[in-house]
Amino acid sequence: MRRLIVNADDFGFTAGVNRAIVEAHTRGIVTSSTLMANGRAFEDAVRLAKTMPQLSVGSHVVLIDGAPVLDAKRLPSITSESPSGSRFRDGLKSFAVRALAGRLNPDEIEAEASAQIRKLQAAEIGVSHVDTHKHTHLFPAVLRPLLQAARTCGVRAIRNPFGPRTPLKSSELLTRPNLWTRYAQVRVLRTLAAKFRNAVKREGILTPDGTLGIVVTGALDERLFHAIANAIPEGTWEFVCHPGYNDDDLKSAKTRLRESRETELRVLTLPEAKQLLLSHQIELISYRGLISSNASR
């Protein structure tokens, strides 16, 4: 049996991203999305989420490249002051170094993650799952307090940010040299996968078998989607995507994903995408479906 959750990240980032996620859900294969509590288009995303009862909405916890929900004075290990106000301290590379060196305060991470989840819940969003911006919870220093925040807030599922050993056939990688560095980074980080599985199991939180799409973030096109679909292993997997419109709001935002978001939207809404999954007998489910199927066992 093969099941696939298609999750659109960055709900709430901009109005154009919100609109694309709606289209990718109503006209395409997106079954779930994760909402940024500190996104500039948060209220718009909440409004839209309430019109789509079949879309499973989770919390996209942000700990880098943004502003905290809590007062930054409570978060000295992960925030700093800038001319534009209080911001998270790090980009991904420096965050990774400090996470691996034990220089992040777990109580601060738990408090901020809880605040972001509860902001969604206060807006009457039934938070089905959690993940993190740029997958920072693959580091144990973030995972442990994030799991505690999820349990405290009653959230039952979390993204497994680790993919299969061979997310793409070598022939596809050979034709895409721009993916080699990303693939190498993902392979190195797989050393943390066992710790992730053990921690999630210990806390009683549900998670898929792994994640697809991380290696091709920013490069996804129809051919790569076909290659990924053809290589999905047995089990339940999550495909991570970032649909959006490259409008003026996105052009003024801090992100490396711009034109690629429109390409992803096109791929996700192609009739052939759904037919491809059906032809491989891959069942589309949401995070709510993952939770309910485990509850019935």
Side-chain angles (χ1 to χ4, degrees), residues 123-291:
E124 299 181 338
I125 297 294
V127 178
S128 56
H129 62 294
V130 295
D131 57 35
T132 52
H133 183 51
K134 297 190 177 177
H135 317 292
T136 55
H137 70 290
L138 60 80
F139 301 110
V142 175
L143 176 63
R144 287 188 292 269
L146 180 65
L147 288 171
Q148 186 58 49
R151 285 194 62 189
T152 300
C153 295
V155 178
R156 297 186 55 201
I158 189 171
R159 168 178 292 166
N160 179 343
F162 300 96
R165 292 188 179 278
T166 54
L168 288 169
K169 293 181 179 178
S170 57
S171 58
E172 288 295 334
L173 288 170
L174 288 172
T175 61
R176 305 274 185 145
N178 59 318
L179 299 182
W180 294 351
T181 300
R182 183 81 167 174
Y183 178 68
Q185 292 170 339
V186 169
R187 284 294 298 271
V188 169
L189 292 170
R190 273 191 59 84
T191 58
L192 300 172
K195 291 183 178 179
F196 173 88
R197 289 192 296 271
N198 291 337
V200 170
K201 183 177 180 179
R202 187 165 54 247
E203 293 294 337
I205 302 291
L206 298 173
T207 192
D209 292 305
T211 298
L212 310 166
I214 292 178
V215 170
V216 302
T217 297
L220 182 70
D221 57 19
E222 189 173 354
R223 177 175 169 176
L224 280 175
F225 181 78
H226 275 256
I228 291 169
N230 288 331
I232 295 176
E234 290 290 312
T236 300
W237 296 83
E238 178 183 358
F239 182 78
V240 178
C241 58
H242 300 81
Y245 282 101
N246 189 26
D247 53 17
D248 289 342
D249 283 344
L250 190 65
K251 290 172 182 175
S252 67
K254 183 177 180 180
T255 178
R256 73 179 179 90
L257 305 179
R258 300 190 188 282
E259 294 87 354
S260 65
R261 293 182 188 262
E262 294 192 355
T263 303
E264 289 200 20
L265 174 61
R266 181 181 62 81
V267 172
L268 294 166
T269 54
L270 286 171
E272 293 86 349
K274 188 173 290 187
Q275 289 302 318
L276 177 65
L277 298 177
L278 287 172
S279 70
H280 287 293
Q281 297 183 318
I282 298 168
E283 179 188 1
L284 276 174
I285 68 166
S286 68
Y287 262 97
R288 281 203 298 264
L290 174 69
I291 295 166

Side-chain angles (χ1 to χ4, degrees), residues 58-96:
S59 176
H60 195 57
V61 174
V62 179
L63 299 171
I64 56 175
D65 297 340
V69 169
L70 293 177
D71 186 339
K73 293 178 182 178
R74 295 178 55 184
L75 310 168
S77 80
I78 57 174
T79 64
S80 62
E81 290 295 325
S82 72
S84 59
S86 299
R87 307 283 295 177
F88 288 116
R89 180 185 299 273
D90 298 304
L92 182 57
K93 289 183 180 179
S94 57
F95 185 93

Side-chain angles (χ1 to χ4, degrees), residues 3 156 206 288-297:
R3 303 189 300 174
R156 297 186 55 201
L206 298 173
R288 281 203 298 264
L290 174 69
I291 295 166
S292 62
S293 65
N294 278 269
S296 63
R297 290 179 182 175

